[in-house]
Amino acid sequence: MNVSEALKGALPNFIPGLGTPYVDPSTLPEGPFLAYDRAGNLVKVVFMVPLKKLNESHKYVDIGTKTLRALGITRIDHVNLIPSGPHPGVSEPHYHIELVLVSLDQERKVLEGEPY
């Protein structure tokens, strides 16, 4: 489901630097969020992991393997780690962990801005 729909319009449909994200509402707040460019190409897979979970687990946390395999993704170009405060859909401080499928230059171009 488009994140804008899932959050009842609290976020725009296309977010510069992030694109048009889709999520299964049952997986909120962590996701995965599938972020597409305006042409409908998958550009990145994003997880929004609360700091609380990262700080309390004190163990290995595998957030992407199952998702990437299900999508048939076998290559990641780079990873963005972006700290974030609360925003619609995620009510506590967290990190955006972005598994990006295209080069940084291409990411900036097709998502119309710096990584979100």
Side-chain angles (χ1 to χ4, degrees):
M1 170 182 281
N2 182 297
V3 168
S4 182
E5 282 179 49
L7 299 177
K8 301 180 182 359
L11 292 172
N13 186 47
F14 185 91
I15 302 166
L18 183 60
T20 301
Y22 286 80
V23 69
D24 175 345
S26 70
T27 66
L28 290 172
E30 290 182 31
F33 297 81
L34 305 180
Y36 293 86
D37 64 15
R38 291 189 191 271
N41 299 306
L42 180 62
V43 176
K44 56 177 117 178
V45 177
V46 180
F47 297 87
M48 298 186 188
V49 183
L51 292 176
K52 182 178 176 181
K53 180 175 182 175
L54 292 174
N55 290 333
E56 289 180 355
S57 68
H58 298 288
K59 62 180 182 172
Y60 172 78
V61 177
D62 181 354
I63 61 169
T65 303
K66 183 178 177 182
T67 299
L68 296 174
R69 284 186 180 152
L71 293 169
I73 296 171
T74 59
R75 183 178 176 275
I76 302 296
D77 184 88
H78 63 279
V79 176
N80 299 328
L81 295 174
I82 304 169
S84 180
H87 58 68
V90 187
S91 62
E92 57 189 289
H94 59 283
Y95 268 87
H96 291 199
I97 301 171
E98 302 182 342
L99 309 177
V100 187
L101 310 178
V102 299
S103 71
L104 181 58
D105 289 340
Q106 186 70 8
E107 176 187 11
R108 288 175 175 147
K109 179 181 175 185
V110 300
L111 298 183
E112 303 171 16
E114 291 297 315
Y116 182 76

